Amino acid sequence: QVQLVESGGGLVQAGGSLRLSCAASGFTFSNYAMGWFRQAPGKGREFVAAITYRGDNTYYADSVKGRFTVSRDNAKNMVYLQMNSLKPEDTAVYYCAKSRSTATMRAGEYNYWGQGTQVTVSS
C-alpha cells in the first residue's frame, strides 16, 4: 500500500534552516508529482510547494517563495523540502502528499498523505 513518511522536523530559531524528507513506497514514485502542505494550529491545510514527476518544474506558495526549495530523488523514492530563513509564521505540521497526476496547489488533487512532521520556529 502507499506509504509516505516524513522526517526532519523540529525546533529551530527564526532565521534558521531545516530540511524535511519524505520517504515514499507502494507506488511507482517517478510517475507522480508530489507536494508539501502545512497546517498551523487553528488553521486549514495550506499549500507549500509541489514538484513534477520528473522534478523539472516546481511551484511554491507566495509565502515561502525564495526561502523554500522542493526537490526529489526518483532513484531513492524521496522528496525533500529545504527550508531557509525560517519565520515564526512557518510553524506548522508539514505533510508530504502524492498527487493523482500533476503538480498542483489544490489539496483535493492529492490522494495520499503522510502523517506529518512538526516544525516549530521560535522568535
Side-chain angles (χ1 to χ4, degrees):
Q1 71 277 22
V2 173
Q3 281 195 314
L4 300 171
V5 181
E6 302 96 336
S7 61
L11 174 63
V12 63
Q13 288 189 329
S17 298
L18 282 174
R19 187 196 197 205
L20 304 185
S21 299
C22 173
S25 61
F27 64 103
T28 306
F29 180 74
S30 57
N31 285 357
Y32 294 91
M34 298 293 293
W36 286 95
F37 290 75
R38 66 187 182 186
Q39 188 165 17
K43 295 189 177 181
R45 194 163 293 189
E46 173 191 26
F47 170 76
V48 175
I51 186 166
T52 53
Y53 70 100
R54 289 190 297 186
D56 52 350
N57 282 297
T58 56
Y59 306 89
Y60 298 95
D62 287 343
S63 59
V64 307
K65 204 171 290 183
R67 300 187 297 122
F68 290 12
T69 302
V70 59
S71 61
R72 66 190 294 160
D73 184 337
N74 284 346
K76 295 182 178 179
N77 286 6
M78 297 288 294
V79 61
Y80 306 99
L81 185 68
Q82 177 66 44
M83 306 186 295
N84 298 329
S85 302
L86 283 161
K87 305 175 181 179
E89 51 262 45
D90 294 319
T91 295
V93 177
Y94 283 71
Y95 297 91
C96 168
K98 169 192 166 294
S99 174
R100 297 175 194 276
S101 59
T102 60
T104 171
M105 65 175 61
R106 295 190 297 272
E109 292 300 310
Y110 293 82
N111 54 353
Y112 289 95
W113 298 78
Q115 82 290 348
T117 186
Q118 176 71 47
V119 171
T120 302
V121 184
S122 63
S123 56

